[in-house]
Amino acid sequence: MIHRHDRAASWPFRKTVYLLAIIIGLTISHCPAHARKLLIEGLEEPPLKWLSGKKPQGIDVDIMTEILREMDINDYEFRFVDSGRRLLYNAKQGFSDIVLTLSQNKERSGYLLYPEENHLLLDWRFAIRAEDVDAIHFDDYSDLRAYRIGAAAGYSYTPTFWGSELDIETVARNDLLIPMLLENRFDVVPVNYLSTVYEVLQNGSRSKIAFLNKPLRRAAYYNTFSRASDYPDKEMFLARYDEILREMRHDGRLVAIFKRYLGPDGVEFWETQYGN
């Protein structure tokens, strides 16, 4: 039996425990609800993202890692899949949380949440031999009518390109275009600017290649969140993501990442697409 005196003596203790429980509950409710590991998926596409040994690296990996550091999220994993079909299937089913580097369209918007901020504007540009930089220009397709144009079969480029009545010869694979350009079999070839710059930097042929600055095609790319993901507070995550990415664009961190992988070309890439 508890006597009146015992009940009176125990009340301050019970009151203290009750107040501590309220404080702990309020503290937890105001902390980010990172209940589990954040799963980030993509395709291996140097210099944007790839696996080096067991270490993920690349422009997109560094951008996302810096944003997660700012958000105090330490429990995350980069995973690479072998096909675009698998990548999008995992996002639709909620098997991944974030999908790296996608353009936006109506179909994808049905199962992906897009941030407001794109982190990349990817160009397709015409590549030429460096020795022809003063001779070949591109303001209109008519400027290229005197030259041999190489293109990869099955690539859409743009309808205007295919309808331009240029002297276009197709090859089976995209990776043949730069070697055939350097062998003087073509004069002009359309290429993905970012991946081609990285490739020629790696193989030592950068000084032999020049790019015509006017883009053949340009598209914005985003890091997206799966609508089916059960990761908590997705909308709050994306709002903070946009805020940090804008800060990185203005304080120099974003251009530093491009420069890390592309050297002076990374700065040029920044200035033509994101410079203020």
Side-chain angles (χ1 to χ4, degrees), residues 64 76 79 82 84 103 123 214 267:
M64 182 58 69
Y76 59 87
R79 302 191 305 200
D82 58 4
S103 59
D123 287 355
K214 182 178 178 180
V267 178

Side-chain angles (χ1 to χ4, degrees), residues 6-107:
D6 295 330
R7 289 198 301 271
S10 66
W11 167 240
F13 174 76
R14 294 202 307 273
K15 184 177 180 181
T16 300
V17 172
Y18 179 68
L19 290 174
L20 284 173
I22 291 175
I23 292 170
I24 292 171
L26 290 173
T27 301
I28 293 175
S29 68
H30 284 84
C31 289
H34 308 314
R36 61 166 176 78
K37 181 178 291 185
L38 181 68
L39 301 177
I40 307 164
E41 285 195 342
L43 301 173
E44 291 197 68
E45 300 170 306
L48 299 179
K49 52 203 182 302
W50 76 96
L51 201 59
S52 177
K54 295 184 178 180
K55 182 180 179 182
Q57 63 182 49
I59 292 170
D60 288 353
V61 170
D62 288 4
I63 291 172
M64 182 58 69
T65 299
E66 177 64 13
I67 289 174
L68 294 176
R69 185 192 67 79
E70 286 272 3
M71 297 172 92
D72 293 323
I73 297 176
N74 300 307
D75 192 11
Y76 59 87
E77 178 184 354
F78 289 97
R79 302 191 305 200
F80 295 95
V81 298
D82 58 4
S83 72
R85 180 176 295 181
R86 171 58 62 182
L87 184 73
L88 299 181
Y89 175 82
N90 287 350
K92 288 179 182 178
Q93 300 301 317
F95 297 156
S96 61
D97 301 310
I98 290 176
V99 182
L100 297 176
T101 327
L102 290 178
S103 59
Q104 188 168 14
N105 61 39
K106 185 176 181 180
E107 180 185 357

Side-chain angles (χ1 to χ4, degrees), residues 1 15 18-19 24 37 68 80 88 94-95 106 108 111 118 121 126 134 138 165 183 197 202 249 256 258 260-261:
M1 173 178 279
K15 184 177 180 181
Y18 179 68
L19 290 174
I24 292 171
K37 181 178 291 185
L68 294 176
F80 295 95
L88 299 181
F95 297 156
K106 185 176 181 180
R108 289 174 185 164
Y111 56 88
N118 68 74
L121 292 171
F126 286 116
D134 293 325
F138 173 54
E165 299 183 354
E183 291 168 2
V197 166
Q202 296 301 303
R249 185 171 291 136
F258 293 128
R260 185 177 306 153
Y261 290 92

